[in-house]
Amino acid sequence: MAARASAPRGKKAYPLAKVYGLLEPGPVVLVSTARDGRPNVMALSWHTMMEFEPPLVGCVISNRNYSFDTIVATRECVINVPTVELARKVVQCGNCSGRKVDKFEKFGLTPEYGSQVGAPLVAECWANFECRIADDALVDKYNFFVFEVVKAWIDPARKNPRTIHHRGRGVFVVDGRILKLPSRAK
Amino acid sequence: MAARASAPRGKKAYPLAKVYGLLEPGPVVLVSTARDGRPNVMALSWHTMMEFEPPLVGCVISNRNYSFDTIVATRECVINVPTVELARKVVQCGNCSGRKVDKFEKFGLTPEYGSQVGAPLVAECWANFECRIADDALVDKYNFFVFEVVKAWIDPARKNPRTIHHRGRGVFVVDGRILKLPSRAK
């Protein structure tokens, strides 16, 4: 898919400096890619913030995944943050491979053009981070990619987004109540 | 602190193969260390699983933190998983430096001997993972340590442990309801 200049439908640009606040809590994410015009998406929980700005995100993406080769070849992807309403589709994305299935079509997900990368955004997700590989030094040893978020989008209409966190084997914990404490942390 | 053979008080050995299920959901953790007999602890959210077994955990620990030098020197630490009851103490640990404060004493936390490393466990935490540095290749560039969990402990008496997830600036989301979906994922 080609990049474009305007905002994806229903989305608003989100400050890169605030991306960490959405990924640091550890939500399951959907990583979307495109190769030869064919979009694909996988579910992933093994990620961590590595720098505030420009935001760097470390992700373990197994070389057994179809997305691995695409990311190595295209050097880009989109990290999408789904909310609990999408939980079933997230699991479905994890239960099959892009080698055999067009997951966007099969699970009723909508690929949207991004502005910086060729990989598609998953329109149904609350937030979308367009990424390029910043460092592949640990890819061979650990399948660990360091991505730079080059553009961030958020759905400003979502008032109470609740993300999901994977505890293994299809068990998820859903975001509960919010706690505010006097902190000096960023 | 010296290592010991028996289980820490109230704790039970936890299978290394199941550690990922506790860290993958992205809870805030307390990283504890000891140097020259002096224990210290810091709060941290920038971590990710990197391998199931032996469990590898990647953590970004800023070189501005007092713990950084200790970990580089001792090559070990304990990753402790606090639950929401400890949230205030977790934030207090993040609001000051071990350079000036004995945080265990000041915040009423209890250092416990581990069995494999000299760094102390935080007794009040739900789970404790004794760690050694497995790879420091990205420490200079990103303050990114790859730890191997060499021993894991859990409090078997905790029936409904709710962890906390940092959204930035002292805002936390607490674990809510559990969702079970038919997944082929580990």
Side-chain angles (χ1 to χ4, degrees):
Chain A
M1 297 177 68
R4 70 167 180 192
S6 63
R9 195 171 10 171
K11 294 285 162 71
K12 188 179 156 186
Y14 192 70
L16 292 180
K18 290 173 71 180
V19 165
Y20 78 95
L22 303 189
L23 290 179
E24 181 172 322
V28 176
V29 297
L30 290 173
V31 174
S32 48
T33 50
R35 194 170 181 185
D36 302 330
R38 192 162 166 271
N40 188 30
V41 58
M42 67 174 284
L44 180 140
S45 281
W46 289 14
H47 61 80
T48 179
M49 288 303 302
M50 296 183 68
E51 186 52 88
F52 288 106
E53 194 178 10
L56 297 182
V57 187
C59 294
V60 178
I61 297 175
S62 169
N63 57 16
R64 294 185 302 272
N65 280 299
Y66 185 64
S67 301
F68 179 92
D69 291 339
T70 306
I71 291 169
V72 167
T74 64
R75 300 189 70 78
E76 57 183 37
C77 68
V78 177
I79 297 175
N80 308 270
V81 184
T83 51
V84 63
E85 295 78 9
L86 286 178
R88 193 163 294 271
K89 293 187 181 191
V90 168
V91 170
Q92 287 172 325
C93 284
N95 280 349
C96 62
S97 168
R99 272 185 203 93
K100 298 183 179 174
V101 176
D102 180 336
K103 301 193 204 180
F104 275 96
E105 187 175 304
K106 182 158 185 180
F107 304 126
L109 297 171
T110 312
E112 275 270 16
Y113 292 101
S115 75
Q116 302 292 319
V117 302
L121 283 58
V122 180
E124 288 79 5
C125 285
W126 170 41
N128 317 86
F129 306 129
E130 302 183 35
C131 296
R132 287 205 191 93
I133 292 179
D135 198 322
D136 57 7
L138 294 193
V139 170
D140 285 348
K141 200 164 180 187
Y142 302 106
N143 296 324
F144 184 76
F145 295 85
V146 181
F147 293 113
E148 177 181 340
V149 178
V150 293
K151 186 74 190 179
W153 302 101
I154 201 163
D155 178 351
R158 299 292 300 272
K159 291 311 170 199
N160 184 26
R162 287 176 305 152
T163 65
I164 58 174
H165 307 258
H166 191 226
R167 289 188 173 175
R169 303 194 179 281
V171 177
F172 298 85
V173 58
V174 183
D175 283 350
R177 68 188 171 93
I178 302 293
L179 195 61
K180 292 184 188 177
L181 292 169
S183 170
R184 290 183 196 153
K186 191 167 177 180
Chain B
M1 295 177 66
R4 70 165 179 194
S6 62
R9 195 170 11 172
K11 294 286 162 70
K12 189 181 155 186
Y14 192 71
L16 293 180
K18 290 172 73 180
V19 165
Y20 78 94
L22 303 189
L23 290 178
E24 181 172 322
V28 176
V29 296
L30 290 173
V31 174
S32 47
T33 49
R35 193 172 180 184
D36 303 330
R38 195 162 165 269
N40 188 29
V41 57
M42 67 174 285
L44 181 141
S45 282
W46 288 15
H47 61 82
T48 179
M49 286 305 301
M50 296 182 70
E51 186 53 88
F52 288 106
E53 194 178 8
L56 297 181
V57 187
C59 293
V60 178
I61 296 174
S62 169
N63 58 15
R64 293 185 302 273
N65 281 298
Y66 185 64
S67 302
F68 179 92
D69 291 339
T70 306
I71 291 169
V72 167
T74 64
R75 301 189 70 78
E76 57 183 36
C77 69
V78 177
I79 298 174
N80 308 270
V81 184
T83 50
V84 63
E85 296 77 10
L86 286 178
R88 192 163 294 272
K89 293 186 181 192
V90 168
V91 170
Q92 286 171 325
C93 285
N95 280 350
C96 62
S97 169
R99 270 184 205 92
K100 297 182 179 174
V101 176
D102 180 336
K103 300 193 205 178
F104 275 94
E105 186 176 304
K106 182 158 184 181
F107 304 126
L109 297 170
T110 311
E112 276 267 17
Y113 292 100
S115 74
Q116 302 291 319
V117 303
L121 283 58
V122 180
E124 288 78 7
C125 285
W126 170 43
N128 316 87
F129 306 130
E130 301 183 35
C131 295
R132 287 205 192 94
I133 293 180
D135 199 320
D136 57 8
L138 294 193
V139 169
D140 285 349
K141 200 164 180 186
Y142 301 107
N143 296 323
F144 185 75
F145 295 84
V146 181
F147 293 112
E148 178 182 338
V149 179
V150 292
K151 185 74 190 178
W153 303 102
I154 200 162
D155 179 350
R158 299 292 301 272
K159 292 312 170 198
N160 184 25
R162 287 176 304 150
T163 66
I164 57 175
H165 306 257
H166 192 225
R167 288 188 173 175
R169 302 195 180 279
V171 177
F172 298 85
V173 60
V174 183
D175 283 349
R177 70 188 170 93
I178 303 293
L179 195 61
K180 292 183 187 178
L181 293 169
S183 169
R184 288 182 199 154
K186 191 168 178 180

